[in-house]
């Protein structure tokens, strides 16, 4: 068994190697992901430094910050040396980073392409471990009226009731709607149920003179557009 008494604490490291001091002297870009997380953690345990603990956490999530961003408080708290407070700090920091990335995109007022719809909705649907179904309501000239959550589901499905969808659309006098849901599995290919639901809602929309303009499937890696693929 490894003798942890021989572990060297971060305080014993050369000043330029300590994460906090390294950031102060060399700038934020000089730090590795593990060193940045170590700053959030603040301290490790008797058996390992904060940096070593951070490396272990990152290794568990395959050194993928997107996967780490999906971790829950309870999942992170299972790591020795990570309590609820430290888990919350990690989650909060990753969420701030995600929101910063979103705010760098200018607010979209009009939808001219599937990419516009994706940019509006990606912040709501990325990093989720369950399915959600949303709609974007648009008025004349494709002006965005609002985005509405229709339902939440489990890991592989959610229920989208056409009655609720068109009730929301009629309330805001929308002339068109865009259907949006996520696939937590990362699979961008639409299921048979996705295709059937899209056709069903599109048919109902034609009767009410509310056009279903598109249906997007969103994952952490991108999106699939029914409109771009000619399914609608």
């Amino acid at each position: 068994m490894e003798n942890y008494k021989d572990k060297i604490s971060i305080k014993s490291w050369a000043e330029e190697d300590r994460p906090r001091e390294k950031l102060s002297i060399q700038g934020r870009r000089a730090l590795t992901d593990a060193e940045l997380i170590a700053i959030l953690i603040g301290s490790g345990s008797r058996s390992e430094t904060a940096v070593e603990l951070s490396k272990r956490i990152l290794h568990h999530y395959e050194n993928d910050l997107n996967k780490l961003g999906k971790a829950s408080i309870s999942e992170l708290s299972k790591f020795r040396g990570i309590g609820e407070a430290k888990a919350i700090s990690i989650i909060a920091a990753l969420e701030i980073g995600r929101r910063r990335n979103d705010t760098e995109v200018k607010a979209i007022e009009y939808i001219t392409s599937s990419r516009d719809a994706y940019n509006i909705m990606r912040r709501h649907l990325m990093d989720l471990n369950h399915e959600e179904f949303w709609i974007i309501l648009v008025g004349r000239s494709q002006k965005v009226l609002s985005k509405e959550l229709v339902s939440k589901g489990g890991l592989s499905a959610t229920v989208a009731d056409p009655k609720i969808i068109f009730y929301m659309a009629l309330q805001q006098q929308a002339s068109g709607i865009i259907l949006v849901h996520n696939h937590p599995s990362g699979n961008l290919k639409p299921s048979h149920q996705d295709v059937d639901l899209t056709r069903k809602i599109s048919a109902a929309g034609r009767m009410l003179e509310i056009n279903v303009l598109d249906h997007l499937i969103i994952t952490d890696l991108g999106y699939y557009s029914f409109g771009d693929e000619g399914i609608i």
Side-chain angles (χ1 to χ4, degrees), residues 66 89 119 128 143 188:
N66 287 320
S89 294
N119 285 334
L128 294 181
K143 180 177 175 60
L188 281 172

Side-chain angles (χ1 to χ4, degrees), residues 192-232:
H192 292 301
Q193 291 87 345
D194 293 334
V195 175
D196 290 342
L197 178 65
T198 304
R199 289 172 175 166
K200 180 179 179 181
I201 296 176
S202 295
R206 286 191 290 271
M207 294 180 63
L208 295 171
E209 297 184 350
I210 300 175
N211 294 324
V212 177
L213 304 172
D214 204 346
H215 184 174
L216 300 187
I217 297 173
I218 292 178
T219 73
D220 291 348
L221 300 178
Y223 71 98
Y224 176 96
S225 164
F226 281 61
D228 291 348
E229 297 299 324
I231 297 179
I232 289 184

Side-chain angles (χ1 to χ4, degrees), residues 159-214:
V159 177
D161 189 335
K163 294 188 294 295
I164 295 175
I165 290 172
F166 287 108
Y167 174 74
M168 292 177 171
L170 290 169
Q171 273 192 317
Q172 298 195 41
Q173 298 182 332
S175 61
I177 59 176
I178 295 173
L179 312 174
V180 187
H181 80 282
N182 65 312
H183 279 179
S185 66
N187 181 11
L188 281 172
K189 184 178 179 180
S191 66
H192 292 301
Q193 291 87 345
D194 293 334
V195 175
D196 290 342
L197 178 65
T198 304
R199 289 172 175 166
K200 180 179 179 181
I201 296 176
S202 295
R206 286 191 290 271
M207 294 180 63
L208 295 171
E209 297 184 350
I210 300 175
N211 294 324
V212 177
L213 304 172
D214 204 346

Side-chain angles (χ1 to χ4, degrees), residues 51-77:
V51 173
E52 290 168 334
L53 174 55
S54 299
K55 287 180 178 179
R56 184 157 59 88
I57 293 171
L58 282 170
H59 176 73
H60 178 79
Y61 291 102
E62 300 177 358
N63 294 304
D64 188 333
L65 291 177
N66 287 320
K67 291 182 179 180
L68 177 58
K70 294 181 179 181
S72 65
I73 295 173
S74 60
E75 288 173 354
L76 289 176
S77 297

